[in-house]
Amino acid sequence: MMVDSLPVLASIISTFSRAGLNVVDRRQFQKEKACPLVIGYWNNLLPVFLMLPIILFTPAFDNCLKDLLTVDLVFMSILIQCVAYSFSFAFKRLRVTDVAVLSKAADVTVPIALAFLGFYSISYISFLFLSTILVLFIFSTGFDVFRKTYKSAVVLVLMLTTQGVCAYFFGLNTTHDREFWSLLSAAFSVLFWRFIFSGVFLIYGRGLSWVYFFPKEFLSHGGFYFRGSLTLVTQVTFVLAITAKNLMIVWPILNATGFLGALFAYLFLGEKLRPKDFLTL
């Protein structure tokens, strides 16, 4: 019983920690002058160092070098980091609730894109699902806010769609078939390359000094350590959850992140949580 319940417990912890990450990110990027390049780099720094001992002193180390040099994972790391930047622009003006609703559009746009490319078959009802999500998003934000934020919303959906399509071609949509330590190694490799590329983007965009000096004007020390710890917990528990044999139980729990994120944003950020938000979520 303990073996069966462990992935379920991990999925619950992962859901709570990912919801917490959304709230922390929203708080970071609410600041008008917050620079996504700076925050992205420092947000990637601590999780790599926290996860490194787990990789070095566990069976995950056996796969680490191979994963670090895998071209597919390197490319996907760049793409995932770009998705993170698109989330940062969305969080500048949109509530956690709005971003949660909008991000679900990729669950429909990815199959639609693959269908247009001839690699997937879908029903026309998928377009109805997509229209429903977009209507719910406008309903959630309000039309005035939507007019001001639709560009960042479009960019986010496009980036999420691109990430999903590329994951399909690279076979990364089946990585949950790998065993736990192998999958943890792949997850660390993605974190490592995200850190490297975010550093390159930062140096190119803001200069070398931002890599060495902690940006007190953008981040608090408490927020830095808290987010880094949350990222580590989220990464490890998510990997443990998706290696479960019965994903039918795990995935609904993981998909509760949007609802919990909205609730946490209400409790800790004072964001409005209206009755209609429960409908959209």
Side-chain angles (χ1 to χ4, degrees):
M1 181 63 182
M2 185 62 182
V3 175
D4 293 335
S5 62
L6 186 58
V8 175
L9 177 61
S11 64
I12 294 173
I13 295 173
S14 180
T15 299
F16 273 82
S17 58
R18 284 195 301 146
L21 278 174
N22 288 340
V23 172
V24 173
D25 288 347
R26 166 64 170 155
R27 183 166 187 173
Q28 288 179 347
F29 291 112
Q30 269 183 315
K31 299 176 182 178
E32 199 63 35
K33 296 182 180 180
C35 176
L37 295 177
V38 175
I39 294 179
Y41 169 79
W42 286 93
N43 280 347
N44 287 328
L45 173 64
L46 188 58
V48 171
F49 284 97
L50 289 176
M51 199 171 180
L52 185 60
I54 300 176
I55 300 298
L56 291 178
F57 301 108
T58 65
F61 184 72
D62 297 337
N63 299 297
C64 191
L65 182 60
K66 177 184 175 182
D67 286 333
L68 284 171
L69 298 178
T70 300
V71 176
D72 294 353
L73 285 177
V74 174
F75 178 78
M76 284 301 298
S77 300
I78 302 176
L79 198 53
I80 292 171
Q81 187 56 40
C82 291
V83 170
Y85 291 140
S86 65
F87 266 105
S88 68
F89 286 110
F91 275 128
K92 274 185 173 292
R93 293 188 175 182
L94 293 171
R95 298 175 304 153
V96 173
T97 303
D98 303 327
V99 174
V101 174
L102 178 64
S103 61
K104 297 307 291 182
D107 292 352
V108 185
T109 57
V110 171
I112 289 176
L114 290 172
F116 275 119
L117 294 172
F119 292 94
Y120 206 76
S121 60
I122 59 171
S123 167
Y124 286 109
I125 199 171
S126 297
F127 293 95
L128 176 61
F129 289 154
L130 179 59
S131 300
T132 301
I133 292 173
L134 296 179
V135 168
L136 287 175
F137 172 65
I138 298 173
F139 183 62
S140 173
T141 61
F143 191 72
D144 289 339
V145 175
F146 172 75
R147 285 192 305 172
K148 298 176 182 178
T149 60
Y150 75 92
K151 291 182 180 180
S152 59
V154 170
V155 170
L156 178 58
V157 174
L158 285 176
M159 288 305 307
L160 286 171
T161 304
T162 304
Q163 175 185 284
V165 170
C166 290
Y168 177 86
F169 286 121
F170 290 150
L172 298 180
N173 56 324
T174 57
T175 51
H176 59 266
D177 292 332
R178 300 171 64 170
E179 55 93 19
F180 173 74
W181 294 114
S182 176
L183 192 54
L184 194 65
S185 169
F188 172 77
S189 300
V190 171
L191 279 177
F192 173 80
W193 284 114
R194 282 186 61 182
F195 165 65
I196 297 298
F197 289 121
S198 63
V200 172
F201 295 152
L202 177 59
I203 293 172
Y204 179 78
R206 298 298 297 264
L208 187 62
S209 62
W210 289 91
V211 174
Y212 300 104
F213 298 104
F214 186 81
K216 295 180 180 179
E217 59 267 54
F218 295 142
L219 294 172
S220 66
H221 283 95
F224 169 70
Y225 289 111
F226 181 60
R227 193 194 187 282
S229 302
L230 274 180
T231 301
L232 175 65
V233 171
T234 301
Q235 200 73 32
V236 174
T237 54
F238 179 76
V239 169
L240 183 58
I242 65 173
T243 52
K245 293 181 179 179
N246 194 349
L247 291 175
M248 293 294 290
I249 298 175
V250 169
W251 281 120
I253 298 174
L254 293 173
N255 278 321
T257 300
F259 176 79
L260 277 177
L263 183 60
F264 288 170
Y266 169 75
L267 293 174
F268 301 113
L269 298 181
E271 288 191 357
K272 294 181 179 179
L273 192 57
R274 300 156 296 195
K276 69 177 183 179
D277 293 326
F278 290 98
L279 172 64
T280 57
L281 288 168

